[in-house]
Amino acid sequence: MAHEIVLLSWWASVFGLRVKIALAEKRIGHEYREEELFDKSPLLVKSNPVYKKVPVLIHSGMPICESLAIIEYVDEVWTHSPLLLPEDPYQRAKARFWADFTNKIYPVGRKARNVEGEDLRAATKELVAMLKLLEGELGEKLSFNGETFGYVDIALIPFSCWFYTYETLGEFSIEEECPKLMDWVKRCMERDSVSKALPDPHRVYELNRELKKRLG
C-alpha cells in the first residue's frame, strides 16, 4: 500500500528525481514528502543519520538511503516488469559501473555553478569530457540498456534539468558538444515517468541564482 512507502526528497535533487522516476516506471504507489534544503525534518535526520540527505525511501518503516541503492532495492523487492537492471550478470555489473560514473557529474557541475573565469572554463571542460564519455557508451543505442529504458538512463537523466544552468553559466552548448546524448534526452522526455518528474530547467536556473545569493 502507498502509505507503507514514503519517499523523502527535494524537488531539485537529481538523486531524489532518480527515485521518483524509478517508482513511476515500476508503477509503485507511494507517499511523497518534500524536504526543505536548509530545514531538514526530524524524520529525515532519523532515517539517514549518517548523511542527513535526501533521498530516503521508507518501506514499512525501514529506511533505505542513497539513490542507486534505493533503485536496486526497488527492482529487487518489486520484481514485476519492467526490470530496471539487466538480468545478465555482466550487463548488470556494467550498468552499475556507468550509473556510479554519473554520480561524478554532481561535484563537477556544482563547481561549474559556483566559480568564474578560468575555474569555470576548467570545470566546463571537465563536464563536457564526462558527457562525451557517456555519449560514447550510449553509442547508437536507443538507451544505455539497449532497446529498453533502465538503470543507467534513470541515473543520468535527472542531470538534464541542470543542463540549461551549466550551459548558460559556461557559455557553451551541450547539443553541439554531444548531439547523440541530447537526442537521448529528448527520447527520455517522451516518457511520462521522466517528463512528470523533472522540473523546468529555467526554474532550476533561478534556484541556482537564489542559492548563490544565499550562500554568497
Side-chain angles (χ1 to χ4, degrees):
M1 297 176 63
H3 70 272
E4 295 179 340
I5 307 167
V6 179
L7 173 60
L8 309 180
S9 192
W10 176 58
W11 69 271
S13 165
V14 292
F15 305 108
L17 291 169
R18 288 171 168 176
V19 180
K20 286 186 74 173
I21 293 169
L23 292 172
E25 284 290 322
K26 299 286 278 189
R27 302 179 301 280
I28 298 170
H30 63 283
E31 177 185 347
Y32 176 80
R33 296 188 188 178
E34 178 75 8
E35 288 287 334
E36 295 293 333
L37 188 59
F38 298 106
D39 186 18
K40 298 171 183 179
S41 73
L43 180 59
L44 174 60
V45 174
K46 177 184 176 182
S47 301
N48 189 358
V50 175
Y51 295 121
K52 302 177 179 63
K53 293 180 178 180
V54 297
V56 176
L57 187 75
I58 304 173
H59 180 209
S60 298
M62 301 181 297
I64 304 98
C65 306
E66 296 294 292
S67 61
L68 296 181
I70 294 171
I71 295 170
E72 293 195 33
Y73 176 85
V74 165
D75 210 30
E76 291 171 0
V77 172
W78 290 276
T79 56
H80 60 264
S81 181
L83 293 178
L84 304 179
L85 280 96
E87 293 186 87
D88 177 75
Y90 173 72
Q91 293 300 327
R92 193 182 308 126
K94 190 176 178 182
R96 285 177 173 142
F97 172 87
W98 285 107
D100 181 69
F101 180 81
T102 67
N103 284 341
K104 303 182 190 307
I105 296 174
Y106 180 77
V108 177
R110 185 172 183 174
K111 182 179 180 181
R113 302 196 313 262
N114 291 288
V115 295
E116 298 178 352
E118 286 300 322
D119 289 338
L120 174 56
R121 282 187 281 276
T124 297
K125 184 178 179 180
E126 185 177 359
L127 179 62
V128 169
M130 295 178 73
L131 295 178
K132 284 183 178 292
L133 279 173
L134 285 160
E135 183 178 58
E137 170 59 22
L138 176 65
E140 301 299 326
K141 302 190 296 290
L142 292 177
S143 73
F144 283 90
N145 195 38
E147 297 293 321
T148 59
F149 183 82
Y151 186 56
V152 181
D153 304 287
I154 293 171
L156 178 58
I157 191 59
F159 286 97
S160 68
C161 68
W162 284 88
F163 282 1
Y164 174 75
T165 300
Y166 303 149
E167 290 174 314
T168 303
L169 296 175
E171 298 181 335
F172 74 106
S173 167
I174 296 176
E175 182 92 54
E176 292 179 4
E177 297 284 351
C178 304
K180 291 181 181 178
L181 189 67
M182 287 308 297
D183 285 342
W184 166 82
V185 169
K186 293 168 187 174
R187 287 195 297 274
C188 290
M189 289 300 293
E190 293 173 358
R191 306 182 72 85
D192 283 347
S193 63
V194 176
S195 62
K196 291 180 178 180
L198 299 193
D200 181 86
H202 292 86
R203 183 186 178 199
V204 173
Y205 176 75
E206 289 304 318
L207 165 71
N208 190 67
R209 292 182 62 185
E210 292 169 12
L211 290 176
K212 289 179 77 171
K213 288 179 183 177
R214 178 164 183 169
L215 300 174

Tab-separated table of all heavy atoms in Angstrom, residues 28-82:
chain	number	residue	atom	x	y	z
A	28	ILE	N	4.741	2.018	-8.739
A	28	ILE	CA	4.643	1.768	-7.302
A	28	ILE	C	4.050	2.994	-6.613
A	28	ILE	O	4.655	4.072	-6.621
A	28	ILE	CB	6.026	1.442	-6.711
A	28	ILE	CG1	6.579	0.164	-7.362
A	28	ILE	CG2	5.955	1.293	-5.200
A	28	ILE	CD1	8.017	-0.110	-7.024
A	29	GLY	N	2.889	2.840	-6.046
A	29	GLY	CA	2.262	3.935	-5.320
A	29	GLY	C	3.028	4.248	-4.050
A	29	GLY	O	3.544	3.350	-3.382
A	30	HIS	N	3.107	5.519	-3.714
A	30	HIS	CA	3.860	5.915	-2.530
A	30	HIS	C	3.428	7.301	-2.075
A	30	HIS	O	2.780	8.044	-2.813
A	30	HIS	CB	5.362	5.922	-2.830
A	30	HIS	CG	5.758	6.919	-3.887
A	30	HIS	ND1	5.555	6.692	-5.230
A	30	HIS	CD2	6.333	8.155	-3.797
A	30	HIS	CE1	5.987	7.729	-5.926
A	30	HIS	NE2	6.462	8.631	-5.073
A	31	GLU	N	3.811	7.625	-0.871
A	31	GLU	CA	3.593	8.972	-0.342
A	31	GLU	C	4.874	9.776	-0.533
A	31	GLU	O	5.958	9.308	-0.203
A	31	GLU	CB	3.235	8.910	1.141
A	31	GLU	CG	3.052	10.284	1.783
A	31	GLU	CD	2.828	10.215	3.276
A	31	GLU	OE1	2.569	9.103	3.796
A	31	GLU	OE2	2.930	11.269	3.936
A	32	TYR	N	4.730	10.971	-1.086
A	32	TYR	CA	5.896	11.828	-1.298
A	32	TYR	C	5.900	12.939	-0.259
A	32	TYR	O	4.886	13.603	-0.045
A	32	TYR	CB	5.859	12.446	-2.697
A	32	TYR	CG	6.992	13.423	-2.954
A	32	TYR	CD1	8.259	12.967	-3.296
A	32	TYR	CD2	6.794	14.795	-2.839
A	32	TYR	CE1	9.299	13.849	-3.514
A	32	TYR	CE2	7.830	15.684	-3.060
A	32	TYR	CZ	9.080	15.213	-3.394
A	32	TYR	OH	10.112	16.084	-3.606
A	33	ARG	N	7.038	13.142	0.392
A	33	ARG	CA	7.184	14.223	1.365
A	33	ARG	C	8.345	15.113	0.955
A	33	ARG	O	9.490	14.669	0.889
A	33	ARG	CB	7.416	13.661	2.773
A	33	ARG	CG	6.233	12.854	3.302
A	33	ARG	CD	6.425	12.494	4.755
A	33	ARG	NE	5.401	11.563	5.210
A	33	ARG	CZ	5.346	11.046	6.444
A	33	ARG	NH1	6.264	11.405	7.335
A	33	ARG	NH2	4.394	10.199	6.768
A	34	GLU	N	8.019	16.349	0.679
A	34	GLU	CA	9.026	17.322	0.254
A	34	GLU	C	9.836	17.799	1.448
A	34	GLU	O	9.288	18.206	2.480
A	34	GLU	CB	8.340	18.515	-0.420
A	34	GLU	CG	9.267	19.622	-0.874
A	34	GLU	CD	10.055	19.289	-2.136
A	34	GLU	OE1	9.783	18.235	-2.765
A	34	GLU	OE2	10.946	20.070	-2.494
A	35	GLU	N	11.142	17.767	1.309
A	35	GLU	CA	12.043	18.248	2.346
A	35	GLU	C	12.528	19.656	1.998
A	35	GLU	O	12.578	20.032	0.827
A	35	GLU	CB	13.252	17.308	2.471
A	35	GLU	CG	12.933	15.964	3.094
A	35	GLU	CD	12.684	16.043	4.588
A	35	GLU	OE1	13.203	16.975	5.239
A	35	GLU	OE2	11.962	15.166	5.100
A	36	GLU	N	12.888	20.409	3.018
A	36	GLU	CA	13.473	21.733	2.826
A	36	GLU	C	14.992	21.606	2.821
A	36	GLU	O	15.554	20.883	3.655
A	36	GLU	CB	13.028	22.684	3.941
A	36	GLU	CG	11.546	22.984	3.957
A	36	GLU	CD	11.097	23.789	2.758
A	36	GLU	OE1	11.937	24.544	2.207
A	36	GLU	OE2	9.919	23.681	2.372
A	37	LEU	N	15.628	22.302	1.908
A	37	LEU	CA	17.077	22.186	1.767
A	37	LEU	C	17.816	22.612	3.025
A	37	LEU	O	18.802	21.986	3.426
A	37	LEU	CB	17.550	23.017	0.565
A	37	LEU	CG	19.012	22.868	0.156
A	37	LEU	CD1	19.328	21.426	-0.208
A	37	LEU	CD2	19.335	23.792	-1.013
A	38	PHE	N	17.327	23.676	3.682
A	38	PHE	CA	18.035	24.218	4.840
A	38	PHE	C	17.292	23.984	6.155
A	38	PHE	O	17.656	24.546	7.183
A	38	PHE	CB	18.285	25.714	4.640
A	38	PHE	CG	19.161	26.016	3.455
A	38	PHE	CD1	18.610	26.545	2.292
A	38	PHE	CD2	20.521	25.765	3.492
A	38	PHE	CE1	19.410	26.820	1.197
A	38	PHE	CE2	21.329	26.031	2.402
A	38	PHE	CZ	20.775	26.562	1.243
A	39	ASP	N	16.255	23.189	6.113
A	39	ASP	CA	15.488	22.901	7.333
A	39	ASP	C	15.012	21.452	7.262
A	39	ASP	O	13.850	21.177	6.986
A	39	ASP	CB	14.306	23.867	7.452
A	39	ASP	CG	13.563	23.711	8.768
A	39	ASP	OD1	14.140	23.131	9.704
A	39	ASP	OD2	12.399	24.150	8.860
A	40	LYS	N	15.918	20.544	7.521
A	40	LYS	CA	15.634	19.119	7.353
A	40	LYS	C	14.711	18.614	8.462
A	40	LYS	O	14.870	18.970	9.629
A	40	LYS	CB	16.945	18.338	7.327
A	40	LYS	CG	17.829	18.754	6.156
A	40	LYS	CD	19.217	18.172	6.224
A	40	LYS	CE	20.059	18.687	5.055
A	40	LYS	NZ	21.435	18.174	5.083
A	41	SER	N	13.781	17.773	8.064
A	41	SER	CA	12.797	17.268	9.014
A	41	SER	C	13.431	16.277	9.991
A	41	SER	O	14.426	15.615	9.665
A	41	SER	CB	11.652	16.583	8.268
A	41	SER	OG	12.069	15.332	7.749
A	42	PRO	N	12.853	16.149	11.191
A	42	PRO	CA	13.341	15.146	12.143
A	42	PRO	C	13.289	13.734	11.553
A	42	PRO	O	14.163	12.906	11.851
A	42	PRO	CB	12.385	15.294	13.326
A	42	PRO	CG	11.896	16.712	13.250
A	42	PRO	CD	11.793	16.996	11.777
A	43	LEU	N	12.280	13.468	10.693
A	43	LEU	CA	12.167	12.151	10.085
A	43	LEU	C	13.351	11.872	9.162
A	43	LEU	O	13.886	10.760	9.148
A	43	LEU	CB	10.851	12.029	9.310
A	43	LEU	CG	10.609	10.685	8.611
A	43	LEU	CD1	10.612	9.540	9.627
A	43	LEU	CD2	9.298	10.721	7.823
A	44	LEU	N	13.772	12.878	8.400
A	44	LEU	CA	14.921	12.703	7.509
A	44	LEU	C	16.189	12.444	8.312
A	44	LEU	O	16.957	11.524	8.004
A	44	LEU	CB	15.102	13.936	6.620
A	44	LEU	CG	16.363	13.940	5.741
A	44	LEU	CD1	16.378	12.757	4.792
A	44	LEU	CD2	16.475	15.250	4.963
A	45	VAL	N	16.403	13.246	9.342
A	45	VAL	CA	17.606	13.102	10.169
A	45	VAL	C	17.630	11.731	10.850
A	45	VAL	O	18.673	11.076	10.939
A	45	VAL	CB	17.673	14.231	11.217
A	45	VAL	CG1	18.847	14.006	12.166
A	45	VAL	CG2	17.803	15.591	10.525
A	46	LYS	N	16.461	11.286	11.311
A	46	LYS	CA	16.369	9.978	11.950
A	46	LYS	C	16.582	8.847	10.940
A	46	LYS	O	17.239	7.839	11.246
A	46	LYS	CB	14.992	9.826	12.608
A	46	LYS	CG	14.758	8.468	13.239
A	46	LYS	CD	13.339	8.359	13.788
A	46	LYS	CE	13.072	6.951	14.334
A	46	LYS	NZ	11.676	6.809	14.822
A	47	SER	N	16.038	9.024	9.726
A	47	SER	CA	16.090	7.967	8.720
A	47	SER	C	17.446	7.858	8.046
A	47	SER	O	17.830	6.790	7.577
A	47	SER	CB	15.010	8.207	7.651
A	47	SER	OG	13.719	8.229	8.229
A	48	ASN	N	18.173	8.970	7.963
A	48	ASN	CA	19.509	8.969	7.353
A	48	ASN	C	20.470	9.710	8.280
A	48	ASN	O	20.928	10.815	7.983
A	48	ASN	CB	19.461	9.641	5.973
A	48	ASN	CG	20.761	9.469	5.204
A	48	ASN	OD1	21.726	8.894	5.698
A	48	ASN	ND2	20.796	9.981	3.991
A	49	PRO	N	20.766	9.101	9.443
A	49	PRO	CA	21.592	9.797	10.435
A	49	PRO	C	23.039	9.992	10.009
A	49	PRO	O	23.729	10.843	10.566
A	49	PRO	CB	21.497	8.869	11.664
A	49	PRO	CG	21.220	7.509	11.093
A	49	PRO	CD	20.349	7.767	9.891
A	50	VAL	N	23.502	9.233	9.022
A	50	VAL	CA	24.901	9.346	8.593
A	50	VAL	C	25.106	10.593	7.735
A	50	VAL	O	25.969	11.428	8.006
A	50	VAL	CB	25.337	8.085	7.819
A	50	VAL	CG1	26.757	8.255	7.279
A	50	VAL	CG2	25.262	6.861	8.729
A	51	TYR	N	24.278	10.740	6.665
A	51	TYR	CA	24.451	11.860	5.741
A	51	TYR	C	23.407	12.961	5.921
A	51	TYR	O	23.624	14.090	5.495
A	51	TYR	CB	24.399	11.350	4.291
A	51	TYR	CG	25.534	10.425	3.939
A	51	TYR	CD1	25.296	9.128	3.505
A	51	TYR	CD2	26.857	10.841	4.039
A	51	TYR	CE1	26.332	8.263	3.178
A	51	TYR	CE2	27.903	9.995	3.724
A	51	TYR	CZ	27.633	8.713	3.285
A	51	TYR	OH	28.672	7.869	2.973
A	52	LYS	N	22.250	12.585	6.489
A	52	LYS	CA	21.157	13.553	6.687
A	52	LYS	C	20.759	14.215	5.368
A	52	LYS	O	20.518	15.416	5.297
A	52	LYS	CB	21.553	14.612	7.716
A	52	LYS	CG	21.927	14.037	9.076
A	52	LYS	CD	22.374	15.132	10.038
A	52	LYS	CE	22.733	14.565	11.401
A	52	LYS	NZ	23.874	13.635	11.353
A	53	LYS	N	20.709	13.401	4.301
A	53	LYS	CA	20.399	13.915	2.972
A	53	LYS	C	19.285	13.098	2.332
A	53	LYS	O	19.059	11.939	2.683
A	53	LYS	CB	21.645	13.867	2.072
A	53	LYS	CG	22.766	14.815	2.477
A	53	LYS	CD	23.942	14.687	1.514
A	53	LYS	CE	25.069	15.650	1.867
A	53	LYS	NZ	26.209	15.523	0.931
A	54	VAL	N	18.613	13.741	1.370
A	54	VAL	CA	17.655	13.030	0.530
A	54	VAL	C	18.424	12.406	-0.634
A	54	VAL	O	19.537	12.834	-0.946
A	54	VAL	CB	16.583	14.006	-0.016
A	54	VAL	CG1	15.776	14.593	1.112
A	54	VAL	CG2	17.179	15.118	-0.883
A	55	PRO	N	17.836	11.371	-1.248
A	55	PRO	CA	16.534	10.791	-0.942
A	55	PRO	C	16.638	9.673	0.093
A	55	PRO	O	17.691	9.058	0.261
A	55	PRO	CB	16.108	10.213	-2.289
A	55	PRO	CG	17.410	9.765	-2.899
A	55	PRO	CD	18.422	10.802	-2.478
A	56	VAL	N	15.504	9.458	0.748
A	56	VAL	CA	15.338	8.288	1.600
A	56	VAL	C	14.010	7.654	1.231
A	56	VAL	O	12.992	8.347	1.134
A	56	VAL	CB	15.339	8.650	3.100
A	56	VAL	CG1	15.055	7.397	3.943
A	56	VAL	CG2	16.662	9.270	3.512
A	57	LEU	N	14.028	6.357	1.013
A	57	LEU	CA	12.794	5.606	0.800
A	57	LEU	C	12.514	4.823	2.076
A	57	LEU	O	13.377	4.083	2.545
A	57	LEU	CB	12.925	4.649	-0.384
A	57	LEU	CG	11.615	3.948	-0.789
A	57	LEU	CD1	10.707	4.917	-1.528
A	57	LEU	CD2	11.902	2.718	-1.654
A	58	ILE	N	11.330	5.028	2.630
A	58	ILE	CA	10.936	4.308	3.837
A	58	ILE	C	9.888	3.278	3.441
A	58	ILE	O	8.800	3.634	2.986
A	58	ILE	CB	10.387	5.265	4.911
A	58	ILE	CG1	11.415	6.356	5.226
A	58	ILE	CG2	10.036	4.497	6.183
A	58	ILE	CD1	10.903	7.436	6.152
A	59	HIS	N	10.229	2.010	3.581
A	59	HIS	CA	9.337	0.914	3.190
A	59	HIS	C	8.970	0.118	4.438
A	59	HIS	O	9.825	-0.512	5.048
A	59	HIS	CB	10.024	0.009	2.164
A	59	HIS	CG	9.178	-1.142	1.722
A	59	HIS	ND1	9.716	-2.350	1.315
A	59	HIS	CD2	7.824	-1.271	1.614
A	59	HIS	CE1	8.735	-3.168	0.980
A	59	HIS	NE2	7.581	-2.548	1.162
A	60	SER	N	7.700	0.198	4.804
A	60	SER	CA	7.211	-0.488	6.018
A	60	SER	C	8.078	-0.147	7.231
A	60	SER	O	8.443	-1.019	8.019
A	60	SER	CB	7.182	-1.999	5.794
A	60	SER	OG	6.285	-2.332	4.755
A	61	GLY	N	8.437	1.139	7.340
A	61	GLY	CA	9.211	1.611	8.483
A	61	GLY	C	10.706	1.459	8.342
A	61	GLY	O	11.458	1.918	9.207
A	62	MET	N	11.160	0.808	7.268
A	62	MET	CA	12.600	0.585	7.079
A	62	MET	C	13.163	1.607	6.100
A	62	MET	O	12.742	1.649	4.942
A	62	MET	CB	12.855	-0.828	6.550
A	62	MET	CG	12.337	-1.938	7.442
A	62	MET	SD	12.686	-3.598	6.772
A	62	MET	CE	11.727	-3.557	5.230
A	63	PRO	N	14.125	2.435	6.526
A	63	PRO	CA	14.701	3.441	5.633
A	63	PRO	C	15.809	2.878	4.752
A	63	PRO	O	16.658	2.118	5.217
A	63	PRO	CB	15.258	4.493	6.593
A	63	PRO	CG	15.608	3.715	7.821
A	63	PRO	CD	14.604	2.590	7.910
A	64	ILE	N	15.764	3.237	3.476
A	64	ILE	CA	16.832	2.887	2.538
A	64	ILE	C	17.393	4.192	2.009
A	64	ILE	O	16.638	5.047	1.522
A	64	ILE	CB	16.331	2.005	1.376
A	64	ILE	CG1	15.661	0.731	1.907
A	64	ILE	CG2	17.486	1.626	0.461
A	64	ILE	CD1	14.165	0.812	1.971
A	65	CYS	N	18.710	4.360	2.085
A	65	CYS	CA	19.357	5.615	1.697
A	65	CYS	C	20.239	5.425	0.467
A	65	CYS	O	20.631	4.304	0.142
A	65	CYS	CB	20.212	6.141	2.852
A	65	CYS	SG	19.314	6.299	4.411
A	66	GLU	N	20.543	6.546	-0.194
A	66	GLU	CA	21.375	6.615	-1.391
A	66	GLU	C	20.594	6.133	-2.611
A	66	GLU	O	20.105	5.008	-2.657
A	66	GLU	CB	22.681	5.833	-1.230
A	66	GLU	CG	23.597	6.405	-0.147
A	66	GLU	CD	24.122	7.784	-0.490
A	66	GLU	OE1	24.927	7.911	-1.438
A	66	GLU	OE2	23.707	8.751	0.179
A	67	SER	N	20.510	7.000	-3.600
A	67	SER	CA	19.603	6.799	-4.732
A	67	SER	C	19.822	5.501	-5.490
A	67	SER	O	18.855	4.787	-5.803
A	67	SER	CB	19.681	7.987	-5.690
A	67	SER	OG	20.997	8.125	-6.224
A	68	LEU	N	21.066	5.164	-5.799
A	68	LEU	CA	21.308	3.947	-6.583
A	68	LEU	C	20.969	2.700	-5.771
A	68	LEU	O	20.424	1.727	-6.308
A	68	LEU	CB	22.748	3.902	-7.074
A	68	LEU	CG	23.148	5.010	-8.050
A	68	LEU	CD1	24.596	4.840	-8.489
A	68	LEU	CD2	22.224	5.043	-9.273
A	69	ALA	N	21.269	2.728	-4.475
A	69	ALA	CA	20.891	1.609	-3.615
A	69	ALA	C	19.375	1.474	-3.542
A	69	ALA	O	18.840	0.358	-3.530
A	69	ALA	CB	21.483	1.803	-2.219
A	70	ILE	N	18.682	2.611	-3.512
A	70	ILE	CA	17.220	2.586	-3.469
A	70	ILE	C	16.656	1.974	-4.741
A	70	ILE	O	15.745	1.139	-4.695
A	70	ILE	CB	16.656	4.013	-3.262
A	70	ILE	CG1	17.037	4.547	-1.881
A	70	ILE	CG2	15.133	4.006	-3.420
A	70	ILE	CD1	16.706	6.015	-1.683
A	71	ILE	N	17.188	2.381	-5.886
A	71	ILE	CA	16.681	1.853	-7.157
A	71	ILE	C	16.885	0.341	-7.231
A	71	ILE	O	15.993	-0.400	-7.662
A	71	ILE	CB	17.362	2.556	-8.354
A	71	ILE	CG1	16.994	4.038	-8.376
A	71	ILE	CG2	16.945	1.894	-9.676
A	71	ILE	CD1	17.801	4.860	-9.366
A	72	GLU	N	18.047	-0.119	-6.799
A	72	GLU	CA	18.299	-1.557	-6.815
A	72	GLU	C	17.352	-2.281	-5.852
A	72	GLU	O	16.835	-3.362	-6.158
A	72	GLU	CB	19.758	-1.850	-6.466
A	72	GLU	CG	20.722	-1.366	-7.535
A	72	GLU	CD	22.112	-1.970	-7.389
A	72	GLU	OE1	22.202	-3.132	-6.939
A	72	GLU	OE2	23.097	-1.285	-7.731
A	73	TYR	N	17.108	-1.687	-4.703
A	73	TYR	CA	16.176	-2.270	-3.731
A	73	TYR	C	14.777	-2.375	-4.337
A	73	TYR	O	14.125	-3.427	-4.247
A	73	TYR	CB	16.143	-1.396	-2.476
A	73	TYR	CG	15.142	-1.842	-1.425
A	73	TYR	CD1	15.483	-2.821	-0.494
A	73	TYR	CD2	13.867	-1.287	-1.368
A	73	TYR	CE1	14.576	-3.228	0.468
A	73	TYR	CE2	12.950	-1.697	-0.410
A	73	TYR	CZ	13.305	-2.662	0.506
A	73	TYR	OH	12.393	-3.073	1.459
A	74	VAL	N	14.340	-1.305	-4.967
A	74	VAL	CA	13.014	-1.288	-5.596
A	74	VAL	C	12.903	-2.397	-6.643
A	74	VAL	O	11.892	-3.103	-6.718
A	74	VAL	CB	12.745	0.095	-6.231
A	74	VAL	CG1	11.559	0.052	-7.190
A	74	VAL	CG2	12.503	1.137	-5.143
A	75	ASP	N	13.947	-2.549	-7.437
A	75	ASP	CA	13.912	-3.548	-8.505
A	75	ASP	C	13.925	-4.975	-7.949
A	75	ASP	O	13.362	-5.894	-8.558
A	75	ASP	CB	15.118	-3.342	-9.433
A	75	ASP	CG	14.830	-3.751	-10.871
A	75	ASP	OD1	13.669	-3.645	-11.310
A	75	ASP	OD2	15.770	-4.160	-11.571
A	76	GLU	N	14.566	-5.148	-6.803
A	76	GLU	CA	14.655	-6.482	-6.207
A	76	GLU	C	13.409	-6.851	-5.407
A	76	GLU	O	13.034	-8.024	-5.343
A	76	GLU	CB	15.897	-6.562	-5.305
A	76	GLU	CG	17.205	-6.524	-6.078
A	76	GLU	CD	18.423	-6.380	-5.173
A	76	GLU	OE1	18.222	-6.306	-3.938
A	76	GLU	OE2	19.545	-6.333	-5.693
A	77	VAL	N	12.765	-5.864	-4.800
A	77	VAL	CA	11.569	-6.135	-3.992
A	77	VAL	C	10.325	-6.260	-4.869
A	77	VAL	O	9.509	-7.167	-4.693
A	77	VAL	CB	11.374	-5.034	-2.930
A	77	VAL	CG1	10.017	-5.199	-2.215
A	77	VAL	CG2	12.513	-5.078	-1.913
A	78	TRP	N	10.194	-5.355	-5.834
A	78	TRP	CA	9.051	-5.387	-6.742
A	78	TRP	C	9.554	-5.939	-8.077
A	78	TRP	O	10.058	-5.196	-8.927
A	78	TRP	CB	8.457	-3.992	-6.900
A	78	TRP	CG	7.769	-3.532	-5.644
A	78	TRP	CD1	6.496	-3.814	-5.245
A	78	TRP	CD2	8.331	-2.702	-4.604
A	78	TRP	NE1	6.229	-3.229	-4.027
A	78	TRP	CE2	7.338	-2.541	-3.603
A	78	TRP	CE3	9.577	-2.101	-4.412
A	78	TRP	CZ2	7.541	-1.789	-2.445
A	78	TRP	CZ3	9.793	-1.359	-3.257
A	78	TRP	CH2	8.783	-1.213	-2.292
A	79	THR	N	9.448	-7.231	-8.224
A	79	THR	CA	10.098	-7.932	-9.335
A	79	THR	C	9.273	-7.935	-10.624
A	79	THR	O	9.684	-8.541	-11.611
A	79	THR	CB	10.395	-9.391	-8.944
A	79	THR	OG1	9.170	-10.024	-8.533
A	79	THR	CG2	11.394	-9.434	-7.798
A	80	HIS	N	8.134	-7.259	-10.614
A	80	HIS	CA	7.333	-7.222	-11.837
A	80	HIS	C	8.001	-6.338	-12.888
A	80	HIS	O	8.880	-5.537	-12.591
A	80	HIS	CB	5.910	-6.714	-11.540
A	80	HIS	CG	5.875	-5.332	-10.967
A	80	HIS	ND1	5.804	-5.087	-9.606
A	80	HIS	CD2	5.904	-4.105	-11.552
A	80	HIS	CE1	5.774	-3.783	-9.394
A	80	HIS	NE2	5.838	-3.161	-10.569
A	81	SER	N	7.568	-6.496	-14.110
A	81	SER	CA	8.100	-5.717	-15.241
A	81	SER	C	7.675	-4.250	-15.102
A	81	SER	O	6.587	-3.965	-14.587
A	81	SER	CB	7.554	-6.312	-16.540
A	81	SER	OG	8.046	-5.612	-17.640
A	82	PRO	N	8.530	-3.333	-15.561
A	82	PRO	CA	9.833	-3.552	-16.203
A	82	PRO	C	10.950	-3.734	-15.176
A	82	PRO	O	10.930	-3.123	-14.116
A	82	PRO	CB	10.032	-2.258	-16.994
A	82	PRO	CG	9.360	-1.212	-16.148
A	82	PRO	CD	8.152	-1.896	-15.555
